[in-house]
Amino acid sequence: MTVPLSDAVRRLLDAPNVGVLATVNPDGSPQTSAVWIGTDGDDVVISSQAGRRKIRNLERDPRASLCVFDLADTERYVEVRGTAEVTVDEGRRLAVLLAERYEGEGAGEEYLRLPPEAVRVVIRLTPQRVLGNVT
């Protein structure tokens, strides 16, 4: 069952706070990656590159957990648990959007200059449980 994001959670996720995405390795052990994040409706979206360990893990086992804390107040945090779908980032739109959110205007240009074989993907995490300390 999909869980909607509250306004407080959405504000935390839409601010330039870094998240830690946890996936499951083939041997069952956890794998974590620091990621830039955004929202699309009630889904959390993350940009990555095809072939990375987190992508291979999610293609095999879509279960994931994302923890994000407020850089201005580290007692405020949210954990989003759910399932993820990986799709191609057409036109590298999400990569550019997140780069500009986190690093400023024009920062996304580097993603547009990548060679075609550097395929960017979108991880779309659909929340099934949302926990944390946000108000």
Side-chain angles (χ1 to χ4, degrees), residues 20-21 34 55 74-75 102 104 122-123 129 134:
V20 177
L21 178 69
I55 301 305
T74 56
E75 290 184 14
Y102 283 85
V122 174
I123 300 168
R129 186 153 189 211
V134 292

Side-chain angles (χ1 to χ4, degrees), residues 7 9 13 19 27 48 51 56 68 77 82 104 117:
D7 289 342
V9 167
L13 296 175
D27 67 1
S48 188
R56 294 192 318 265
V68 180
Y77 72 95
E117 60 271 13

Side-chain angles (χ1 to χ4, degrees), residues 53-131:
R53 167 54 59 196
K54 63 182 160 281
I55 301 305
R56 294 192 318 265
N57 284 348
L58 291 169
E59 288 171 337
R60 188 192 75 264
D61 182 343
R63 294 175 298 163
S65 177
L66 175 73
C67 185
V68 180
F69 65 91
D70 187 336
L71 292 173
D73 179 0
T74 56
E75 290 184 14
R76 293 185 67 237
Y77 72 95
V78 66
E79 179 188 3
V80 178
R81 296 179 191 171
T83 55
E85 177 185 21
V86 178
T87 59
V88 172
D89 184 1
E90 297 296 335
R92 300 179 177 164
R93 287 187 293 268
L94 182 61
V96 170
L97 175 78
L98 294 178
E100 293 187 353
R101 175 181 295 161
Y102 283 85
E103 295 189 336
E105 188 175 334
E109 294 296 320
E110 71 180 273
Y111 291 101
L112 298 175
R113 289 192 299 268
L114 291 173
E117 60 271 13
V119 177
R120 298 299 299 181
V121 296
V122 174
I123 300 168
R124 178 174 296 275
L125 178 60
T126 300
Q128 294 173 334
R129 186 153 189 211
V130 179
L131 310 159

